[in-house]
Amino acid sequence: MNPGLVLLLVCLLSSIASSAKILASIFSPSYSHQIVFRPLWRELADRGHHITLLTTDPMRDVSRKNIKEIDLSGSYEVMESFGNSDILSKKRSEGTPKVILEMEILDVLAKVADWQLGVPEVRNLIRNRSEYFDVLIVEALNPIHMAFAERFNVPFIGVSPQEAPIRIYTVLGNYVHPVIFPEPYLPFSPPLNLKQRLASVAFNTITWYYQYHWRYPQETAIARKHFGNIRELQQIEREMSFLFINVNPTLQQTRPVGMNTIYLGGGMHIGEVKPLPEELQDYLDSSGNQGVIYFSLGSNVKSSRLTGNLLDVIVSTFSALPYKILWKFESSLQDLPKNVKIIKWAPQRDLLADSRIKLFITQCGLQSLEEGIFNEVPMVGMPFMWDQPGNAKTLEKKGLGLTVDIMNLTKDSFTKTIMEVISNPIYKKNVVELSKLMKDVEKTGLERAVWWTEYCIRTKGAKHFRSGVGGVPSYQMYLLDVMLIVVIACIITTLILVMSVVLCYRICFRRGRSLKLKRS
């Protein structure tokens, strides 16, 4: 037989033997959450694996035949039917506390997950008894889709497009502490002062109670509606094999983690720079040497839903600036200043790569922050909710720019902030230095994600990496029961000593008194 043909057959058989069936679900109706992991799906497919992907933003890449996408784009319409944009944009800009809004969004997301699992193609997948998979990759922020792990009896990898909440770190048995590592949704950056420490502990206590006594029961009920009589979701969640987190320790706080927690380094979704559309290129060209300011509130917060006061401050500030402004805005805007151009969508990564972008005004979503850093653009943060306030604190702490408070924004303060970041070279210098640090890695995030995914498949869940700490209650973790016993023991010992001294004193006093009486 032809040796070349034999070699080809061996390679082909080897490829078939090593290929796996992967079920992947990125549940969040958010483009920024979806694009982070697209390179992973493509690379796994290129390595011969077969992927069934549940996504709200299908890639529709016909060149990769071994990626089957289940289209959940209707999730956006479901979100809007429950007032998603008003919650994230209008209510927040009106001053509604973000904690209340975040609880509202969690309720909306649970309803979205309920709708997703009822989509005919998803329902058929759940009911198909001949279907099987080797591993599940699932977004960890919401546990409902983790029920697929029990349905197909497979190990699963949790993925997070941003810093993970304490709840997820706890599941993996990683070290957690509300003061040293505050919840990423809090606008705190360690070291915390006394007021912040109290707030962080209170927030953790309240969210823990809310999660375990409200969210888990509600989410488990939704999962059982579609998957039948499965275990409670918090039990399934504890069996997570790996956690992939899209953060970089040079930007976020470094923390001790176990072998099953993999940092992807951030920026995994940032690919090669592509040419800009002609309209955008012409606009940048028309700015000359002065450059352009780019303003975007991301894919979730809608500029068109901002309240009149905040919107008026932004428009009046832009009209007075000596720069051209490129504003991602979802609809038309009356009385648009002459130096402002509105676009409904922008190729943000490619746009920020152009040297004529002098400033990026951002809501401080993690992916936007990463793109600003990778492209070495100073930033002004305008955070709204979720992890954005915390990211904004990091932005300032690292000297990459400044932030503004949407609750107290004025034309004067906004103008001063913008001009300070553009004119002061220290911000450009800092962002260039941090960009170099973030890119200087032993392995890319994509390489790490692929290797550990295949390792999880090879080892059938890498159970030897699981920590026994994951199921330990907080009172045991922080030695509260031990300290209570020690305190009680100390109190009892002290009481015994005091009582002994009193008793000795009384005995001695009585003897002395008896001797006096006898002598008299």
Side-chain angles (χ1 to χ4, degrees), residues 299-512:
S299 56
N300 294 316
V301 180
K302 309 296 184 185
S303 293
S304 59
R305 298 293 184 94
L306 301 180
T307 57
N309 181 56
L310 179 58
L311 192 61
D312 289 344
V313 169
I314 294 172
V315 172
S316 62
T317 300
F318 286 170
S319 66
L321 291 174
Y323 293 93
K324 287 196 169 186
I325 315 290
L326 193 60
W327 186 353
K328 178 185 168 292
F329 199 95
E330 299 76 28
S331 60
S332 60
L333 181 63
Q334 292 182 347
D335 301 323
L336 187 69
K338 293 181 179 179
N339 63 328
V340 177
K341 178 178 176 60
I342 280 179
I343 49 173
K344 292 185 178 180
W345 178 85
Q348 185 164 283
R349 188 272 187 268
D350 306 321
L351 183 63
L352 291 172
D354 194 291
S355 60
R356 285 164 295 190
I357 299 295
K358 300 300 181 183
L359 178 71
F360 178 24
I361 304 176
T362 170
Q363 92 289 13
C364 289
L366 184 58
Q367 282 67 55
S368 291
L369 206 63
E370 290 169 350
E371 290 170 2
I373 294 169
F374 267 68
N375 291 295
E376 303 177 355
V377 182
M379 289 167 275
V380 167
M382 187 183 285
F384 279 70
M385 55 192 302
W386 297 119
D387 63 327
Q388 296 166 13
N391 292 339
K393 288 291 183 183
T394 300
L395 171 73
E396 285 198 329
K397 186 176 180 180
K398 297 289 184 180
L400 311 176
L402 297 173
T403 63
V404 295
D405 181 3
I406 60 172
M407 296 294 102
N408 301 292
L409 193 63
T410 64
K411 178 181 177 181
D412 183 57
S413 64
F414 197 19
T415 302
K416 286 181 178 178
T417 301
I418 291 172
M419 296 307 296
E420 163 65 17
V421 177
I422 288 182
S423 59
N424 192 334
I426 189 63
Y427 300 107
K428 178 68 174 181
K429 177 178 178 290
N430 290 338
V431 78
V432 169
E433 290 177 354
L434 187 59
S435 181
K436 290 177 181 177
L437 281 176
M438 289 187 70
K439 296 172 184 175
D440 189 5
V441 293
E442 178 187 7
K443 286 184 177 181
T444 66
L446 180 58
E447 289 170 338
R448 284 196 292 271
V450 169
W451 195 90
W452 284 108
T453 298
E454 293 183 333
Y455 182 84
C456 184
I457 295 170
R458 291 195 301 271
T459 59
K460 300 186 184 305
K463 294 181 181 179
H464 53 289
F465 279 170
R466 289 185 187 172
S467 169
V469 180
V472 176
S474 297
Y475 73 89
Q476 293 181 18
M477 175 74 71
Y478 296 111
L479 302 178
L480 297 181
D481 52 345
V482 174
M483 287 190 287
L484 179 62
I485 291 173
V486 170
V487 170
I488 292 173
C490 289
I491 292 173
I492 291 173
T493 303
T494 302
L495 288 174
I496 291 173
L497 288 172
V498 170
M499 291 173 67
S500 299
V501 170
V502 171
L503 183 61
C504 289
Y505 174 78
R506 287 179 177 176
I507 293 173
C508 293
F509 178 77
R510 286 174 181 174
R511 284 182 177 177

Side-chain angles (χ1 to χ4, degrees), residues 170-218:
T170 304
V171 166
L172 273 294
N174 292 320
Y175 180 71
V176 297
H177 197 287
V179 172
I180 302 173
F181 305 107
E183 194 73 72
Y185 302 141
L186 291 173
F188 300 155
S189 181
L192 275 57
N193 58 39
L194 178 59
K195 182 179 178 181
Q196 291 172 333
R197 294 197 297 272
L198 290 171
S200 182
V201 172
F203 181 83
N204 270 50
T205 303
I206 293 169
T207 53
W208 178 87
Y209 186 87
Y210 177 67
Q211 178 66 41
Y212 282 84
H213 294 276
W214 180 258
R215 294 246 55 85
Y216 275 138
Q218 181 192 44

Side-chain angles (χ1 to χ4, degrees), residues 26 28-35 38 53-60 69-73 76:
I26 305 299
S28 293
S30 173
Y31 181 71
S32 59
H33 284 222
Q34 302 290 330
I35 61 170
R38 282 182 174 181
L53 173 63
L54 281 66
T55 175
T56 62
D57 296 81
M59 297 179 288
R60 297 185 173 89
E69 293 184 302
I70 296 180
D71 186 353
L72 300 178
S73 57
Y76 287 102

Side-chain angles (χ1 to χ4, degrees), residues 150 223-225 227-231:
E150 177 141 319
R224 285 174 175 168
K225 172 183 173 182
F227 289 93
N229 190 26
I230 61 170
R231 290 175 297 159

Side-chain angles (χ1 to χ4, degrees), residues 250-308:
T250 61
L251 183 60
Q252 281 86 4
Q253 189 182 9
T254 303
R255 70 164 75 208
V257 295
M259 288 288 291
N260 51 5
T261 301
I262 312 300
Y263 283 102
L264 302 182
M268 191 168 73
H269 68 289
I270 301 176
E272 295 297 321
V273 179
K274 299 174 184 176
L276 291 171
E278 185 176 352
E279 180 185 9
L280 289 182
Q281 190 65 56
D282 290 343
Y283 188 73
L284 293 178
D285 290 342
S286 68
S287 68
N289 296 326
Q290 196 169 30
V292 173
I293 295 173
Y294 171 55
F295 176 38
S296 172
L297 294 178
S299 56
N300 294 316
V301 180
K302 309 296 184 185
S303 293
S304 59
R305 298 293 184 94
L306 301 180
T307 57

